[in-house]
Structure formats: C-alpha cells, structure tokens
Amino acid sequence: MTKNSMTNKNGINTLAVHGGETPDPQTGASSPNIVMSSTYVVDQPTSFSVTNMDDDTPYVYTRWANPTIRQLEKKLCLLENAESCLACASGMSASSGVLFGLLSSGDHLIISESNYPGTAEISRQLLPKNSIDVTPVDASNPENIKNAMRDNTRMIWIETPSNPLVKLTDIHAVSRIAKDADALLVVDSTFASPIATRPLELGADIVVHSLTKYIGGHGDAIGGAVLASRKVASEIIGGGMLHYGGAISPFNAWLIMRGAATLPLRMSAHQQNALQVARFLESHPNVELVRYPGLASHPQHELAKRQMHNFSGMIAFRTPSPHSVAKRMMADLEIVHYAVSLGHHRSLIFLLETDDLINSSYRLDGELEREYREIAGPGIFRLSVGLEDAEDIIRDLEHVLG
Ligand SMILES: *Cc1c(COP(=O)(O)O)cnc(C)c1O
C-alpha cells in the first residue's frame, strides 16, 4: 500500500495531486473516501476539551476533527509550507476565527483601508463594539503601517493582492515591522493562492484563505482555511475557533481537495489568459484604467515580480458611465457571468460601486477616501479571468464595452 510521505521537497504539482491523501487501508481505494459521519465510536476514555488535540488524538466529533477534512488540511499545509491548518466553513469563518480568537478588548488592529468587504465590516463595525481599536491604512506603503503602530498593536491584517483595487503589500517588509513590535501579521492570500505567494515563507504569522475561490476553483463549494505555526494555531483554537461552530462539511472538503489537485495547472492558465485580457483592456478606447500585477503599468509591478510567482487572474478596470456598462454586461454577456466571487474556471465580472463600499464597508474619509476614489472613480469592475479561450473572453467583453 502506498504510504503518503509527501514533504516540501516534492514539487508543487506533486504536492497538489498527492499531498495529504492516502489510499484507503481497508479497500485500497485510490481516491479519498468521504467520511460524512458526525460522530465516532470511542474505545477509550476521551477528553471533551478541544484545546489539547493533536494528530494522534482519536476522532471524536466532526466539528473538532474529521478524516476527510484532515486530508484537505494536510494538503493545504504542504502547499503553503505551514505546520498547521484549520479548515472551516468559509473564508469568513476563517477570518472571524482569527480576529475574534486572537484579539481582546484593549488591543489595536491595523488593517488595509480596502479589502474583502466582509472583513472590512467586521473590523469597522464589530471589533470596536468589543473595545478593539482599528486603524485602516494604505498598506501598499509599509511606512504607513509603521507610522500607525502603537504600544497595544497586536495584529496587522493585510490582503495582497487586495479586493477590489488589486493593490499589493510587501509581506516581508511588513513582517519586520510586526516582529519588531511583537505583533502578529495576518495575510489574506485568497487572490494570490499558494501558487503565487507563500506568505509564511516571507515572515507572516498567519495565512487566511477563502477556499471558495482559486483553491476549490470550480464555484461549487464554500470553504475557508487558516494556516499558521502549531503554536499560533493552538492559540486560535484556544480563542474559540472550534466553538464558533464554522465546521466545513466533509463533502465540501472533498470537493475542494479535488479542485486543489489541479491548482498549479489552473493558476498558470489563469495567468496566461489574464495577461491577454489585461492587454486587450489596456488598449481599449473605452477603458480608463486597468490594474493587473502582470502589466508593467501596475504601480507595484516590481514588487509583484518579486513577491508573486504567478500574477493570478484578477483584473480591476474602469470605464466611463460604469452603471450603463454594467447593465449591458448583465443583458449581453454570453461567456463571462455577471456575478460576484472569483477564482473559478468560469470568468466572472462584477461592478463594485464606490459610494456603496465607502459608506457600508470601508467607512473611509479624508485622504484615504480621496485616494480610493482616485483609483476606483464611481465604481470599478472586478474581473476574474477564467479558463475559457482568451479570444472568446475578449470577444465577449468587446461586445459590451462599446
Ligand atoms: C471571498 C473572499 C473572502 C470570504 O470568503 P467566503 O468563502 O466567501 O466566506 C475573504 N477574503 C477574500 C479576499 C475573498 O475574496
């Protein structure tokens, strides 16, 4: 029987295919079994505490640990080069587990001024209710983070590339600022995936993923993950992660694991298509601005070349009268779906309206609001370039851009 002895010495393609998976010892089944059982027959006295579990602890209850979910967690550990992984029900359950699990009243959090709206809303609306101070900064310049540090800064939260403006943050530079101050650096690396960037290798303490996006890759399963050292992961569990109840279904874990097997191949196809689409958009007379890390025109292209092994498939672009362009997209797109989410094999596009985001999610004012509006105008299109033929995606967009 094949034993799984994958290590980080194996190549990324091999890890994506075999990492974490082992043929079933009883039947020899080559694909992983889905273990849907919520509970396990126990043959020895077992603790009800979830804070001191390790790999050898027998399975007791699926919200704490499950063999199928465990295989996904091991695969993700190998892909991110992490000691520990906590897979959970969604990207938001990963983010809220980290934020509420590690921050306490009196702590200070520094966070990118724009990022995934759910994360922004937790930080602007819910953390202050728990007496946690939050400072949004433009994280594309690490100096802004340095200047915002306080004695009680416990965590720095960045997203790179960021939603929706595709801004980058220099993970290594920010990790030094965090280490000097004994603060934790969290990176939401959903837009990059472990194929583009492995933040833990660059000095980050925690990586958060929405598995719903590139890692699952097919738009049919919601999931999330937190990756960290064993010590930090146990602090997150101690902070309540498993009690918050965001357990991923073993079926979703299985689907995501199946998707993850082709992640390296898909990422290189996403990048190749996105570069062609970004160049087309840049040359289109009705497009005012294009942000794609793989274009020389991206203001942080040099950092992208250093920090990203793949430029991913996420493009932001702006047109005049975005609302009427969005209406044409809803009515006339034939290949690209006008829908939220990203990282799927299907191309997805959505208009992110600036007033809505500024008022409901980011709550920016002053210089940060001015800078956001300068890039996004009244609204910016977020395009997740899929795996169709680039020529077909381009023809579909050409048709609605006027
Ligand atoms: C989608 C997304 C999330 C939230 O993930 P869900 O799986 O939808 O809960 C968090 N961060 C980023 C960058 C995302 O794109």
Side-chain angles (χ1 to χ4, degrees):
M1 185 70 59
T2 320
K3 266 198 69 173
N4 193 320
S5 51
M6 292 290 128
T7 68
N8 279 83
K9 292 201 179 65
N10 290 105
I12 198 83
N13 291 287
T14 309
L15 292 177
V17 172
H18 290 287
E21 300 184 12
T22 28
D24 179 53
Q26 261 156 35
T27 62
S30 157
S31 317
N33 289 333
I34 310 178
V35 177
M36 290 300 288
S37 188
S38 55
T39 192
Y40 302 79
V41 176
V42 167
D43 58 6
Q44 57 193 13
T46 307
S47 161
F48 266 111
S49 168
V50 298
T51 50
N52 46 18
M53 291 189 310
D54 59 32
D55 272 4
D56 300 324
T57 309
Y59 295 107
V60 177
Y61 188 56
T62 279
R63 176 156 49 70
W64 306 343
N66 163 285
T68 310
I69 298 171
R70 182 60 61 74
Q71 293 190 49
L72 170 65
E73 290 172 336
K74 286 189 174 156
K75 191 187 287 291
L76 295 175
C77 278
L78 287 162
L79 292 174
E80 278 291 357
N81 201 4
E83 273 178 9
S84 284
C85 173
L86 305 167
C88 50
S90 64
M92 282 312 298
S93 104
S95 300
S96 53
V98 169
L99 289 166
F100 289 110
L102 294 178
L103 295 174
S104 322
S105 141
D107 286 342
H108 176 233
L109 166 75
I110 296 174
I111 190 162
S112 325
E113 91 292 2
S114 54
N115 56 8
Y116 184 73
T119 318
E121 287 172 24
I122 288 187
S123 74
R124 311 294 197 278
Q125 296 168 22
L126 303 181
L127 295 180
K129 275 197 201 167
N130 293 281
S131 306
I132 294 156
D133 279 342
V134 178
T135 308
V137 301
D138 174 2
S140 63
N141 181 356
E143 280 301 304
N144 295 334
I145 292 178
K146 199 169 187 174
N147 295 335
M149 295 296 287
R150 298 184 197 160
D151 290 344
N152 60 339
T153 305
R154 162 96 168 116
M155 186 184 285
I156 301 168
W157 184 292
I158 59 176
E159 188 175 294
T160 180
S162 75
N163 180 76
L165 303 182
V166 199
K167 281 186 176 182
L168 308 188
T169 298
D170 185 333
I171 297 169
H172 183 63
V174 176
S175 81
R176 290 188 161 181
I177 299 170
K179 283 210 169 56
D180 282 349
D182 241 348
L184 292 165
L185 173 61
V186 186
V187 179
D188 182 336
S189 193
T190 299
F191 272 38
S193 90
I195 305 307
T197 307
R198 281 183 291 284
L200 299 175
E201 292 175 357
L202 298 172
D205 298 289
I206 300 170
V207 172
V208 165
H209 277 292
S210 168
L211 304 177
T212 319
K213 314 296 170 51
Y214 284 109
I215 293 178
H218 297 76
D220 51 13
I222 289 186
V226 179
L227 294 117
S229 66
R230 208 161 278 130
K231 177 172 168 288
V232 172
S234 75
E235 275 173 44
I236 296 168
I237 292 174
M241 180 88 177
L242 303 183
H243 296 318
Y244 299 147
I248 187 171
S249 157
F251 183 53
N252 277 16
W254 185 87
L255 283 171
I256 290 165
M257 195 154 49
R258 185 164 81 153
T262 53
L263 180 66
L265 287 175
R266 286 187 286 108
M267 290 311 292
S268 76
H270 280 298
Q271 163 178 253
Q272 212 175 335
N273 271 0
L275 199 54
Q276 282 189 61
V277 173
R279 288 197 178 120
F280 154 75
L281 290 169
E282 208 166 37
S283 69
H284 195 284
N286 208 25
V287 173
E288 299 170 325
L289 173 136
V290 182
R291 282 280 172 101
Y292 179 65
L295 287 179
S297 61
H298 191 290
Q300 295 166 292
H301 183 57
E302 289 308 312
L303 173 60
K305 284 197 284 190
R306 237 180 22 246
Q307 186 168 282
M308 302 181 75
H309 304 296
N310 172 301
F311 296 123
S312 191
M314 297 306 300
I315 301 174
F317 71 93
R318 215 174 73 198
T319 67
S321 324
H323 294 101
S324 56
V325 175
K327 272 199 186 131
R328 276 209 301 279
M329 288 177 176
M330 291 179 221
D332 295 335
L333 282 172
E334 289 173 1
I335 288 170
V336 181
H337 285 186
Y338 190 85
V340 296
S341 203
L342 56 107
H344 304 170
H345 56 333
R346 297 179 192 87
S347 292
L348 304 172
I349 197 164
F350 207 77
L351 174 65
L352 296 160
E353 296 187 44
T354 299
D355 282 344
D356 188 30
L357 279 175
I358 295 269
N359 297 329
S360 65
S361 306
Y362 301 146
R363 305 201 172 169
L364 302 176
D365 52 22
E367 186 65 5
L368 289 178
E369 176 178 4
R370 198 191 58 72
E371 281 171 9
Y372 185 92
R373 288 185 187 278
E374 196 173 291
I375 302 170
I380 195 153
F381 288 98
R382 180 181 67 200
L383 171 60
S384 170
V385 179
L387 302 179
E388 305 92 340
D389 291 293
E391 296 73 23
D392 289 335
I393 301 170
I394 289 170
R395 206 172 325 107
D396 208 28
L397 292 171
E398 203 160 26
H399 182 59
V400 292
L401 283 174

